[in-house]
Amino acid sequence: MDPLDRRGFLALGGAGLICTIAGHQITTDGGQVDVEKLAKEVPVPPKVAAAERGGGEPRRELAAFATSSSAVREYWIAAEAMNWNIVPTHRDQMMAEKVKEGKTTFKAYGYRPYSPGFKSPLAPAQVPGPLIEAAVGDTVIVHFRNKTGSPVTMHPHGIFYANEMDGTYKGKWTDPGGFVQTNRTFTYVWEAREGTEGTWLYHDHGPMDPLPVFKGLFGPLVIRKPGEVPPEAEFFLGFHSWDPTVTGLKGNYACINGHAYAGNTPTLEATTGQRVAFHVYGMDNFFHTFHLHGHRWIEPDGRIADTKTFGPADSFRVEFTEDNPGRWFYHCHVFQHLHMGMNGWYIVS
Amino acid sequence: MDPLDRRGFLALGGAGLICTIAGHQITTDGGQVDVEKLAKEVPVPPKVAAAERGGGEPRRELAAFATSSSAVREYWIAAEAMNWNIVPTHRDQMMAEKVKEGKTTFKAYGYRPYSPGFKSPLAPAQVPGPLIEAAVGDTVIVHFRNKTGSPVTMHPHGIFYANEMDGTYKGKWTDPGGFVQTNRTFTYVWEAREGTEGTWLYHDHGPMDPLPVFKGLFGPLVIRKPGEVPPEAEFFLGFHSWDPTVTGLKGNYACINGHAYAGNTPTLEATTGQRVAFHVYGMDNFFHTFHLHGHRWIEPDGRIADTKTFGPADSFRVEFTEDNPGRWFYHCHVFQHLHMGMNGWYIVS
Amino acid sequence: MDPLDRRGFLALGGAGLICTIAGHQITTDGGQVDVEKLAKEVPVPPKVAAAERGGGEPRRELAAFATSSSAVREYWIAAEAMNWNIVPTHRDQMMAEKVKEGKTTFKAYGYRPYSPGFKSPLAPAQVPGPLIEAAVGDTVIVHFRNKTGSPVTMHPHGIFYANEMDGTYKGKWTDPGGFVQTNRTFTYVWEAREGTEGTWLYHDHGPMDPLPVFKGLFGPLVIRKPGEVPPEAEFFLGFHSWDPTVTGLKGNYACINGHAYAGNTPTLEATTGQRVAFHVYGMDNFFHTFHLHGHRWIEPDGRIADTKTFGPADSFRVEFTEDNPGRWFYHCHVFQHLHMGMNGWYIVS
């Protein structure tokens, strides 16, 4: 039960540079990074500082964004630090093995949903963050409060957003939405215009990138077609990995929704006859190959498939009518990732 | 002509954990694994032990599986150990180089086809295993005998299979088909239902995963559309790799159908005017990019392509009418893999 | 500002074998390769030597290639060595960081366009090489002159080419077009037949492969549909990487069109209302995931996407009508590559 050491780092693709922040090179074999300490050295960009002083570019009024939308979907989401246990059961039900003796808990970041006005949390801070859902025609408003010790943001995929709403750190061109400091709140306004339907995601894209993403700041976003009836059984699965630079733990974890190894990863359930949809996305440095036992689906191009290869920030949906009862695996078919925890149960009754 | 050493391990993606079996961590720089010795430590799962005692879940009668199938395709396939020479010519015809001085033979595993009742072998044990072929509407019955020293299975992709026929080790939920012990035989029954047509594959998915797959236990499976006339020239190509943990040899090999380097890999032939199809699948830890010189094909989405990137257990078919004579390369376009042997000849007259 | 060392090598996928040439194994941690010195040891293939002596296979006359093409597109292109600065500004505008202190210039190879008869250069030697453009029905003639010290070639993707025009080193079967020696010229004749339209590329495929490709010998090729009106804003982007074996510099660079880091990579411009197309291709050992902020496109299969994962020599086009002003990022979403320079600006007014 020897914990993984440096060899583990290499298992998921090679040691080396993660990023350069404030003149420091962060590498995978440089030990755990203290993101919040590093964040202190990052200067506030000029437009952000100006906005804080009350000058600079005026924030576009909410009314200017309003389309003739059917609805406004409003969210209150905070980025927070929390203790997160990657392998709570310390067991891998697939190989019937004990795994990861010792500590599997570390201080992660998670997006956390709150009731209006941030009055009270609607759920614990988790990895991934809460599902943001809209239909074509809606306006999505996200009140984002940063309760971590580093500037972080929310950057969406797929949905329409004006330039100052892209939640992206851009060096000296950074807008307030690209550099939300500790205890500040920023209101993102995005539009689910025609031609934005699909399975998407959101994640941090701030000055500490990719460290906050790697600590857990990502989540799913879905835009429904007009009149779409969601499938009866629907799952949103983020494939990502954790290494010691981020966790301070020994070894690497290949995770689905923040956990590793069957029995810790999501155990999904459906019944025969149901319409079932898996929404899948990646959010690390690797490609993954989603595979589901006992089933197959029709790809948008008409091809029948039971595997699908994807990279970081790719997102897709596979859908079928359930017809095959039993306890099934879903997993990443990259054998190395499968055996580092990237598998789970799909149980059909 | 210095043989590859640890640097070679890293060439195909990084050293590290392969899997954890019976409490042992198998890593790529831990030397060659003795799979059969390790297998002795793996306990027999409860349902399998019960079935052997004559109790436990009754095996579903064959009749219960029969659809109104046009045909029953019945196979007798054994998993066996054999000596396998990865580079028999010790030459790379692409670069006109001698390669891999010294030993290139190791003890691999292969699926081997037999005549009914396992009376006599129909071919030597090979990598990949025999093509399993069916048409939509057929029932496929595979009598699988394990002649290796480790529990192994047959897990298919694409074809319909009931839960106890998925040939998968599932910890304590494992069925007999997911843990076929040495000298035992298990009968898999699968159904080529409507909506399963395509290019697929099968491989071990037992308790020693991924080691038996890596030793060679995989092969192609194809389900024809009703009334489909197979192309006149048709090739089934498995892209995978071998490293010292599996082979005990020095260096890495990037292989097509179990061999490395042009002149060892399949030399494919066709003539102008023929319909030609390449069925391709991956079965290692890497992505590969299939490329064919001198030709292009139409993808299912209508796009014209001459390359296609895929991950492990992805499978696809490219098809075109041959119109260009000459000696051509087909290869993985990942340069590192190309130069580790992942290339071969396609000769059109 | 510690320069990347061996850890950097590993950052982009692992150290190891690049290729074997003339009996020498070239590995990523073996120091910078002297390609031209190595080239001296490569023997001239028999058919090439025979052609030089005036014997051997007769070169097919140009007339034999002519289809009833609408046009003949004729190019004069030389492969040359030149000094190339990967990060001219020494800054990363995305993270507002100084990057890569010290030398970022090395001796690269580039394809360079010349006026008819090679009278005068039309542009400096660059990475990538010049766009080769044709419409379906055209014949493309490329007079290729090798001004480097190693035998190099031009091998195209997508366009129709007869076997002796594939620009590929094939060991003893090599044609003159697959082994163009220093100061020799070879005339390639390719045909943009029906069914070849699309976004493609060309690159070296000679005896020194992949070293000349890695030094910069690649470029885009596009075949227009008949009657196609090119988009008003069109960009051709090659995603590749440079490591010390090729450059002799410290560290790895993840590049777009030969440069790394925003402000050095192409800064692209468009205006709202324009039809915009990004033509993207890869040319290294890695997969990349193209992502564009603020926009999305319709894939050939009808799916809406804002990311696309691809491998080496994959090529594709994404197209949309511009509707969103601002300064946007385009980048590889593999975080490691993003932070090694694989990002740039797309500015819409």
Side-chain angles (χ1 to χ4, degrees):
Chain A
M1 225 74 57
D2 178 40
L4 286 171
D5 55 15
R6 185 168 184 275
R7 292 173 308 186
F9 294 179
L10 299 176
L12 289 181
L17 180 71
I18 295 181
C19 55
T20 303
I21 294 175
H24 302 275
Q25 288 197 349
I26 314 299
T27 56
T28 55
D29 55 355
Q32 187 187 15
V33 183
D34 185 330
V35 183
E36 303 191 354
K37 180 173 169 208
L38 197 60
K40 291 179 165 52
E41 299 188 42
V42 177
V44 178
K47 291 202 276 180
V48 180
E52 291 191 350
R53 288 192 305 270
E57 289 177 48
R59 180 155 323 158
R60 206 192 297 192
E61 290 308 316
L62 233 57
F65 288 117
T67 60
S68 57
S69 56
S70 335
V72 174
R73 313 269 191 144
E74 207 160 355
Y75 293 85
W76 286 260
I77 295 176
E80 307 188 2
M82 73 282 191
N83 288 326
W84 184 260
N85 193 342
I86 306 175
V87 194
T89 71
H90 284 278
R91 283 198 71 80
D92 171 12
Q93 287 184 339
M94 174 175 84
M95 300 302 282
E97 287 281 332
K98 230 193 259 191
V99 291
K100 306 294 180 187
E101 264 195 5
K103 193 155 167 278
T104 56
T105 299
F106 76 105
K107 190 161 144 197
Y109 283 172
Y111 289 111
R112 185 176 193 182
Y114 278 79
S115 64
F118 289 97
K119 281 215 158 53
S120 51
L122 299 175
Q126 298 181 65
V127 179
L131 174 66
I132 293 178
E133 184 167 3
V136 166
D138 292 351
T139 298
V140 174
I141 298 175
V142 181
H143 304 278
F144 173 65
R145 176 165 295 173
N146 179 10
K147 295 172 138 188
T148 74
S150 316
V152 289
T153 73
M154 286 185 73
H155 165 73
H157 280 247
I159 198 165
F160 179 93
Y161 49 87
N163 195 246
E164 64 268 36
M165 292 296 169
D166 75 355
T168 300
Y169 181 74
K170 298 178 205 164
K172 67 181 184 186
W173 293 278
T174 303
D175 294 299
F179 194 95
V180 183
Q181 296 174 80
T182 302
N183 290 328
R184 304 287 207 285
T185 302
F186 181 83
T187 298
Y188 294 100
V189 181
W190 303 325
E191 301 166 51
R193 291 188 178 184
E194 253 190 69
T196 64
E197 59 267 21
T199 295
W200 306 108
L201 67 154
Y202 61 91
H203 58 88
D204 169 67
H205 209 310
M208 311 307 295
D209 184 76
L211 301 169
V213 176
F214 287 176
K215 284 179 85 65
L217 281 188
F218 57 87
L221 187 157
V222 69
I223 299 176
R224 310 281 187 190
K225 288 184 196 169
E228 174 186 328
V229 177
E232 296 144 294
E234 198 171 34
F235 317 114
F236 293 85
L237 304 174
F239 283 62
H240 74 106
S241 39
W242 269 317
D243 70 54
T245 315
V246 175
T247 63
L249 303 169
K250 287 184 199 255
N252 284 279
Y253 300 81
C255 303
I256 302 173
N257 285 3
H259 292 117
Y261 298 102
N264 302 279
T265 54
T267 296
L268 312 172
E269 293 180 5
T271 58
T272 54
Q274 286 187 322
R275 280 299 286 168
V276 179
F278 286 71
H279 301 255
V280 178
Y281 57 96
M283 190 75 340
D284 58 15
N285 277 324
F286 308 107
F287 80 91
H288 300 292
T289 302
F290 173 75
H291 174 49
L292 178 61
H293 283 216
H295 302 80
R296 69 219 62 70
W297 59 85
I298 301 174
E299 282 281 301
D301 63 9
R303 211 168 41 91
I304 300 161
D306 71 1
T307 60
K308 193 164 171 76
T309 293
F310 60 101
D314 280 338
S315 57
F316 60 93
R317 162 173 170 160
V318 306
E319 192 164 332
F320 52 88
T321 301
E322 184 50 69
D323 66 352
N324 203 355
R327 173 181 289 266
W328 303 102
F329 274 123
Y330 66 95
H331 63 86
C332 176
H333 218 297
V334 178
F335 296 94
Q336 208 169 41
H337 304 169
L338 167 62
H339 286 279
M340 295 185 120
M342 218 166 222
N343 65 86
W345 296 117
Y346 171 54
I347 303 175
V348 179
S349 46
Chain B
M1 224 76 56
D2 178 41
L4 287 172
D5 55 17
R6 184 169 184 274
R7 294 173 306 184
F9 296 176
L10 299 174
L12 289 181
L17 179 72
I18 295 179
C19 57
T20 304
I21 294 176
H24 302 275
Q25 287 198 350
I26 314 297
T27 58
T28 56
D29 54 356
Q32 188 187 14
V33 183
D34 186 330
V35 182
E36 304 190 356
K37 181 174 169 207
L38 197 60
K40 292 178 168 52
E41 301 188 38
V42 178
V44 177
K47 290 203 278 182
V48 180
E52 291 190 352
R53 290 191 305 270
E57 289 175 47
R59 180 155 323 158
R60 204 192 296 193
E61 290 307 316
L62 235 58
F65 287 117
T67 60
S68 54
S69 56
S70 333
V72 172
R73 313 267 193 147
E74 206 161 355
Y75 291 86
W76 286 260
I77 294 176
E80 307 188 1
M82 73 283 191
N83 288 325
W84 183 258
N85 193 344
I86 307 176
V87 194
T89 70
H90 284 277
R91 282 197 71 81
D92 171 12
Q93 287 184 340
M94 173 175 85
M95 300 303 281
E97 287 280 332
K98 229 192 260 191
V99 291
K100 307 294 182 185
E101 263 194 7
K103 193 158 168 273
T104 56
T105 301
F106 77 105
K107 190 163 146 199
Y109 282 170
Y111 289 111
R112 184 177 195 184
Y114 279 79
S115 63
F118 289 97
K119 281 220 159 51
S120 52
L122 298 176
Q126 298 180 67
V127 179
L131 174 67
I132 292 178
E133 185 167 3
V136 166
D138 292 351
T139 298
V140 175
I141 298 175
V142 182
H143 304 277
F144 173 64
R145 176 166 296 174
N146 179 10
K147 294 172 138 189
T148 74
S150 316
V152 288
T153 74
M154 285 184 74
H155 166 72
H157 281 246
I159 198 166
F160 180 93
Y161 50 88
N163 194 246
E164 65 267 35
M165 292 295 169
D166 74 354
T168 301
Y169 180 74
K170 298 179 206 162
K172 68 183 185 185
W173 293 277
T174 303
D175 293 300
F179 195 93
V180 182
Q181 295 172 84
T182 302
N183 291 328
R184 306 285 208 286
T185 302
F186 182 83
T187 298
Y188 294 101
V189 181
W190 304 326
E191 300 166 51
R193 291 187 176 181
E194 252 189 71
T196 65
E197 59 266 23
T199 295
W200 307 107
L201 66 154
Y202 61 91
H203 58 86
D204 169 68
H205 208 310
M208 311 306 296
D209 184 77
L211 302 169
V213 177
F214 287 176
K215 283 179 86 67
L217 283 189
F218 58 88
L221 188 156
V222 68
I223 298 175
R224 310 281 187 191
K225 288 185 200 174
E228 174 186 327
V229 176
E232 294 143 294
E234 197 171 37
F235 317 114
F236 294 85
L237 304 174
F239 283 61
H240 73 106
S241 39
W242 268 319
D243 71 53
T245 316
V246 176
T247 63
L249 303 170
K250 285 185 200 258
N252 283 279
Y253 300 79
C255 302
I256 303 172
N257 286 1
H259 293 116
Y261 298 101
N264 302 279
T265 53
T267 296
L268 312 172
E269 295 181 1
T271 58
T272 53
Q274 285 186 325
R275 282 299 286 170
V276 179
F278 286 71
H279 302 254
V280 177
Y281 56 96
M283 188 75 343
D284 59 15
N285 277 324
F286 308 107
F287 81 91
H288 300 293
T289 302
F290 173 75
H291 174 50
L292 177 62
H293 284 214
H295 303 80
R296 69 221 61 69
W297 59 84
I298 301 174
E299 283 282 300
D301 63 9
R303 210 168 43 93
I304 301 161
D306 71 2
T307 60
K308 193 165 172 74
T309 293
F310 59 100
D314 280 339
S315 57
F316 61 93
R317 162 173 169 158
V318 306
E319 192 164 334
F320 53 87
T321 300
E322 184 50 71
D323 67 348
N324 203 356
R327 174 180 287 266
W328 304 102
F329 276 123
Y330 67 93
H331 62 87
C332 177
H333 217 297
V334 178
F335 296 93
Q336 210 169 40
H337 304 167
L338 167 61
H339 286 279
M340 293 185 124
M342 218 166 222
N343 65 84
W345 296 118
Y346 171 55
I347 303 175
V348 179
S349 44
Chain C
M1 224 73 58
D2 177 41
L4 287 171
D5 53 18
R6 186 168 182 273
R7 293 172 307 184
F9 293 178
L10 299 174
L12 289 181
L17 180 71
I18 295 180
C19 56
T20 304
I21 295 176
H24 302 275
Q25 287 197 350
I26 314 298
T27 58
T28 57
D29 54 358
Q32 188 187 16
V33 183
D34 186 329
V35 182
E36 302 191 358
K37 180 173 170 209
L38 196 60
K40 290 178 169 49
E41 299 187 41
V42 177
V44 177
K47 291 202 276 180
V48 180
E52 291 190 351
R53 289 192 305 268
E57 289 174 48
R59 180 154 325 157
R60 207 194 294 192
E61 290 306 318
L62 233 58
F65 288 117
T67 62
S68 55
S69 56
S70 333
V72 172
R73 313 266 192 147
E74 206 161 353
Y75 292 86
W76 286 260
I77 294 175
E80 308 188 0
M82 73 283 191
N83 287 326
W84 184 258
N85 192 344
I86 306 175
V87 195
T89 70
H90 284 278
R91 283 198 69 84
D92 171 13
Q93 288 184 341
M94 174 176 83
M95 301 300 284
E97 287 282 333
K98 230 191 261 189
V99 292
K100 307 292 181 186
E101 264 193 9
K103 194 156 167 278
T104 57
T105 300
F106 76 105
K107 190 162 147 204
Y109 281 171
Y111 288 112
R112 184 178 195 182
Y114 278 79
S115 63
F118 289 97
K119 279 215 158 53
S120 51
L122 298 176
Q126 299 180 65
V127 179
L131 173 66
I132 293 178
E133 184 168 3
V136 166
D138 294 350
T139 299
V140 174
I141 298 174
V142 181
H143 303 278
F144 173 64
R145 174 164 297 172
N146 179 9
K147 294 171 140 189
T148 75
S150 316
V152 289
T153 73
M154 286 184 74
H155 165 72
H157 280 246
I159 198 165
F160 180 94
Y161 49 88
N163 194 246
E164 66 268 36
M165 292 295 169
D166 76 353
T168 302
Y169 181 74
K170 299 178 205 163
K172 68 182 183 186
W173 293 277
T174 304
D175 293 300
F179 194 95
V180 182
Q181 296 173 83
T182 303
N183 290 328
R184 305 288 207 288
T185 304
F186 181 84
T187 299
Y188 294 100
V189 181
W190 305 324
E191 301 166 50
R193 291 189 178 181
E194 252 190 69
T196 64
E197 58 267 22
T199 295
W200 306 107
L201 68 154
Y202 60 92
H203 58 86
D204 170 68
H205 209 311
M208 311 307 295
D209 184 75
L211 302 169
V213 177
F214 287 178
K215 283 179 86 66
L217 283 189
F218 58 87
L221 187 157
V222 69
I223 298 175
R224 310 279 186 192
K225 287 186 199 171
E228 174 187 324
V229 177
E232 296 143 293
E234 198 171 34
F235 317 114
F236 293 85
L237 303 173
F239 283 62
H240 73 107
S241 39
W242 268 319
D243 70 55
T245 315
V246 177
T247 63
L249 303 170
K250 286 185 199 255
N252 283 278
Y253 301 79
C255 304
I256 302 173
N257 286 3
H259 292 117
Y261 298 101
N264 302 278
T265 53
T267 295
L268 312 172
E269 295 181 2
T271 59
T272 53
Q274 286 186 322
R275 282 298 287 169
V276 180
F278 286 71
H279 301 256
V280 177
Y281 56 95
M283 188 76 343
D284 58 15
N285 277 324
F286 308 107
F287 81 91
H288 300 292
T289 301
F290 173 76
H291 174 50
L292 178 62
H293 284 214
H295 303 80
R296 70 220 61 70
W297 58 84
I298 301 173
E299 282 281 301
D301 63 10
R303 210 167 43 91
I304 301 161
D306 72 1
T307 59
K308 192 162 171 77
T309 293
F310 59 101
D314 279 339
S315 57
F316 62 93
R317 163 173 169 159
V318 306
E319 193 164 332
F320 54 87
T321 300
E322 184 50 69
D323 67 350
N324 203 355
R327 174 180 288 265
W328 304 102
F329 275 124
Y330 67 93
H331 63 86
C332 176
H333 217 297
V334 179
F335 296 94
Q336 208 169 42
H337 303 168
L338 168 61
H339 287 279
M340 295 185 124
M342 219 166 220
N343 66 86
W345 296 118
Y346 171 55
I347 302 174
V348 179
S349 47

